[in-house]
């Protein structure tokens, strides 16, 4: 039986492993950390569970191809989902703006806030409606489609293509200027980090309003562990605490990989489901650089990476009536060289097992970009200063929440502060990135087939291969890799399982 060796046990690695087992390969997943899951994870602090990932999972709508894929992977098989009413609620100058799941309600509530923006709001919602039929491609990667399949695929992307053409080159901040009401303007402008193209909000809201982006019960870590169970059920093998440090190749074929502790794993096919920078820079010693990635790594302006400061808080109380995700203005909080003037607070009141009874766990995410990430990586080398800075930011955020919700005083504690250095340390994430290259108005979307020029039996999988990254792309590209290997080996490929 041919052997597939997979470096990285995140969602992409687990997906590759499950499809390898389903398609008659023998496989092993080698994971650096003590738990598989990669960035799709959560952690316990005191009596609370902090969910570190899923704010929305594309593919939660039954009857769609993406949902079927998650079911096959064990991620959503028989799992209830929580369907929030609103993606986010934004408070601004005494006005509350909601990004409702019900698009008619979103439209009418925005018109009530700003009748003078009616035409712009109608146009905004019409574009979202037009995109609601958009589905992420699952069955086959583009490079494996025949001409008829390609024609069908591009025909199905007609509306998406039109929206990209119209809004892909306009920054969301610039698009937001079309709205006269300051609360609507700021809601849109601050929906995604500066520099994102306006198209991102249309795709995000089209997905959310078609009911395709809810939250699986039990959260991120439970979902990753269900995928681990599925992989093990299919006979897969996982080695944890196994960081691969060397990739041995000869005459265009990878022979084996070697872990930091000296363990060696040989195989017929190798899948790098780790951060691509780890593959190109560390494992291949920059000897097999890839043009598509190098060009992007060297041009941070057009291809920015985002990381996070992620603060977990425990509240001895319930959040009844408070929206799941709320953004509100705060007194400026200094973060390294910059400062923030609003806080985005998410609570997990819908998850009974994340906190003791009548208590709630909360998180606050603060995006960090290039220079900030580098500064965090530098700071993390100085343990005391790093700890001090994280604690200072955590406390400032706690105070700003209490200012907004005075009833929380004395009942709110900071549980944990993760920084870009945390993602780098745990997942080897380059610059702590938690999403692939951001869709800016000047960058070209990535479309990578995962093949590594010059090394025939090595493939790359993961969220980096196609926009917009995130969990669905990780899952799809893990599957795509095994599909490509089957094609190379002239063997049939199966997507289905008896679990359906
Ligand atoms: C705070 C946060 C919120 C997010 N929210 C969402 C969301 O709401 N929806 C969504 O779709 N996505 C979300 N994401 C993004 C999502 O988590 C990622 O897109 C996805 O988990 C990436 O999966 P991956 O398998 O491609 O990579 P990773 O998860 O990075 O997995 C790579 C794995 O490889 C391992 N590894 C690295 N180097 C080595 C080595 N040398 N040897 C062995 N193992 C190695 C790492 O430890 C890791 O386990 C979020 C991420 C974060 C951090």
């Amino acid at each position: 039986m041919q052997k597939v060796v997979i470096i990285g046990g995140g969602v992409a690695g687990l997906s590759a492993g499950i499809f390898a087992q389903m398609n008659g390969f023998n496989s092993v997943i080698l994971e650096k950390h003590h738990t598989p899951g990669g960035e799709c994870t959560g952690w316990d602090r005191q009596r609370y569970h902090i969910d570190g990932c899923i704010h929305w999972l594309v593919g939660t709508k039954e009857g769609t191809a993406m949902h079927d894929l998650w079911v096959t992977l064990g991620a959503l098989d028989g799992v209830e989902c929580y369907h929030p009413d609103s993606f986010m609620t934004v408070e601004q100058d005494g006005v509350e703006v909601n990004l409702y799941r019900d698009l008619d309600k979103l439209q009418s509530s925005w018109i009530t806030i700003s009748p003078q923006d009616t035409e712009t709001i109608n146009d905004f919602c019409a574009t979202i409606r037009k995109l609601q039929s958009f589905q992420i491609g699952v069955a086959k990667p583009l490079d494996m489609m025949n001409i008829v399949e390609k024609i069908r695929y591009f025909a199905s992307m007609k509306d998406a293509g039109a929206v990209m053409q119209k809004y892909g080159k306009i920054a969301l901040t610039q698009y937001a200027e079309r709205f006269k009401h300051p609360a609507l303007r700021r809601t849109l402008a601050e929906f995604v980090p500066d520099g994102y193209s306006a198209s991102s909000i249309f795709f995000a809201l089209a997905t959310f309003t078609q009911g395709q982006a809810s939250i699986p019960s039990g959260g991120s870590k439970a979902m990753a562990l269900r995928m681990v169970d599925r992989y093990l059920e299919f006979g897969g093998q996982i080695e944890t605490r196994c960081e691969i440090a060397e990739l041995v190749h000869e005459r265009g074929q990878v022979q084996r990989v070697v872990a930091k502790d000296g363990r060696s794993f040989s195989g017929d096919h190798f899948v790098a489901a780790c951060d691509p920078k780890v593959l190109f820079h560390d494992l291949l010693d920059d000897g097999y650089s890839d043009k598509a990635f190098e060009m992007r790594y060297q041009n941070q302006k057009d291809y920015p990476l985002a990381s996070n400061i992620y603060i977990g808080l425990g509240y001895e109380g319930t959040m009844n009536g408070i929206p799941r995700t709320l953004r509100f203005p705060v007194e400026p909080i200094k973060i390294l060289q910059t400062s923030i003037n609003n806080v985005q607070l998410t609570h997990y009141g819908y998850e009974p097992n994340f906190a003791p009874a009548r208590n709630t766990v909360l998180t606050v995410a603060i995006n960090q970009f290039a220079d900030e990430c580098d500064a965090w990586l530098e700071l993390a080398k100085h343990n005391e200063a790093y700890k001090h800075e994280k604690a200072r930011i955590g406390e400032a955020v706690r105070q700003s929440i209490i200012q907004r919700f005075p009833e929380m005083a004395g009942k709110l504690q900071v549980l944990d502060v993760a920084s870009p250095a945390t993602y780098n340390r745990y997942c080897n994430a380059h610059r702590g990135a938690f999403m692939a290259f951001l869709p800016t108005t000047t960058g070209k979307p990535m479309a990578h087939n995962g093949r590594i020029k010059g090394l025939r039996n090595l493939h790359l999988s993961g969220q980096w291969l196609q926009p917009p990254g995130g969990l669905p792309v990780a899952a799809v590209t893990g599957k795509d890799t095994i599909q490509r290997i089957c094609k190379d080996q002239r063997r049939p490929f199966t997507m289905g399982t008896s679990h359906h």
Side-chain angles (χ1 to χ4, degrees), residues 206-236:
T207 308
F208 184 64
T209 56
Q210 60 163 289
Q212 180 58 313
S214 299
I215 305 169
S217 136
S220 312
K221 184 167 184 182
M223 185 174 101
L225 294 182
R226 286 193 297 273
M227 292 179 68
V228 170
D229 286 347
R230 178 63 46 100
Y231 177 61
L232 297 177
E233 262 171 46
F234 283 160

Side-chain angles (χ1 to χ4, degrees), residues 394-469:
E395 179 55 20
V397 165
R398 189 181 79 89
Q399 290 298 346
S400 67
I401 297 172
I402 290 172
Q403 212 159 37
R404 168 63 185 82
F405 296 103
E407 67 274 22
M408 289 192 188
K411 298 180 189 164
L412 188 67
Q413 57 163 327
V414 177
L415 300 169
D416 185 63
V417 181
S419 84
T422 315
Y423 298 107
N424 182 261
R425 182 158 53 96
Y426 280 108
C427 296
N428 280 353
H430 175 53
R431 286 193 141 150
F434 77 107
M435 287 295 278
F437 302 105
L438 303 183
T440 61
T441 53
T442 43
K444 262 177 44 190
M446 175 72 107
H448 199 293
N449 63 14
R451 294 188 188 268
I452 312 300
K453 212 169 162 210
L455 290 170
R456 287 185 298 280
N457 62 341
L458 177 62
H459 296 256
L460 188 62
S461 290
Q463 64 153 337
W464 294 88
L465 299 190
Q466 61 193 61

